[in-house]
Amino acid sequence: MKKNEVASSPVPDHVPPELVRDFSLFTSPGMPPTVNGDPHAAVACVHAGPPIFYAPHNTRDGRGTWVITRARDQRRVLQDTETFSSHRSIFASALGETWPMIPLELDPPAHGVFRSLLNPLFSPQRVTALEPAVRERAIALIDRIAASGTSCDVMKDFAFPFAVNIFLRFLGLSDHRLDIFVDWGKDLLHGEPVKRSAAAQKIVSFIDDLAALRRKVPVGDFMTFVVQAKVEGRPLTDKEVRGIGVLVFVAGLDTVAAAIGFDLSYLARNPKDQEWLRSKPERIGLAAEELLRAFSTVQMLRVATKDIDFEGAPIRKGDYISCATMIANRDPAEFACPDTVDLAREENSHSAFANGPHRCLGSHLARREIVIGLEEWLARIPAFRIKEGTAPITHGGHVFGIENLILDWC
Ligand code: HEM
């Protein structure tokens, strides 16, 4: 099977044919990988249809999912953890195993136990303490780009090294293996099955080795905290330490880079907005929220724990349910002119970081990285555009992203 090709599952008997749609976040026409395309606009088309439908191959391994289109209904699903479970072992399944990434793939009450343990590590205060390092890193990378000419590949030269450096720093790790980590992340999220499981194995070995090292020689970093932590009066098991380490590793790898890529791609194509934002840096925080809304990147999956009729659809125990943030955030019932990017939009309770108990733990960090990245880019790089003769290639999947973004300026 070639890259990006997926096996399709047969439609289960309980799914009425009129609720089946030829739609996939991976393969639909107009969907990624597209050259110069607009995957978010392609996704937004579903709002012309019913609130829920069945997509026969809407996961990386070609499984069918129900797709919830309305933001309000997605919130209902994400809040109802008894009916819609997060227990899926998505990462471990690449290795033929079943342990959960923690806390993402745990349901309450176990989820709350680990979430309370980790919350302080992701607090706004901790992020504020990291800010000078985040800014320093952004400036160093952009200054190097500016000194080396009038063109660059934003993803390779800025977005990935910036985001991955910060999250390694957050974990307390040096970045001498940064390029290797970026490659592991790409193979894991977008590679064909063999590359995917090889990358998963490398990440697991890296996390297990790191945990063993921190047990022997504690150094006061993230992993030292995890191996020394206690929940309900007992130390964490090796599998729990691994589940936490792997999740934090994967969650920070390409989400922030993708957001920065989509933001700069939009600004490159919209010179008026670019100029407006450059002249009003104090509006970058608000604008970043609008860009997070309009170019949301994450699809969440849940598994039904029982049979339930949902907005007329017969969901059966074991069915997968997709709550895609890129769909919810284009819902016309929640956002006026949802397909228009309005950098001054004030009413903007988007769900780019999810809703419910699994709301993104890294959102404070991610927001600061995006805002600081945009501030320093706009302050240092003059009017930029997509370099003539090049075209950004976007990719779909559980996390949307951009493979290359070649910009130039005078
Ligand atoms: C723009 C960047 C990011 C976006 C759009 C994003 C989005 C999300 C979403 C939608 C979820 C919910 C997933 C689900 O319920 O299935 C989530 C969960 C999570 N994210 Fe993020 N994320 C970003 C960056 C980060 C970063 C940088 C980190 C860590 C350093 C992080 C750590 C986590 C963790 C640990 C969870 C699991 C929370 C839980 O289950 O309680 N995220 N994120």
Side-chain angles (χ1 to χ4, degrees), residues 78 86 88 102-105 111 115 118 122 167 170 247-248 251-252 255-256 259 292 297-302 325 351-355 357-363 365-366 369-370:
L78 298 174
S86 291
R88 292 150 300 154
I102 296 176
L104 185 70
E105 294 179 332
H111 170 265
R115 179 90 188 199
L118 297 175
F122 290 87
F167 115 90
F170 177 78
L247 172 60
V248 173
T255 45
V256 173
L292 274 163
T297 51
V298 179
Q299 153 166 264
M300 291 169 275
L301 287 179
R302 297 295 185 260
T325 58
S351 60
F353 293 113
N355 298 110
H358 291 280
R359 207 174 175 286
C360 177
L361 250 180
S363 63
L365 179 61
E369 285 181 70
I370 293 167

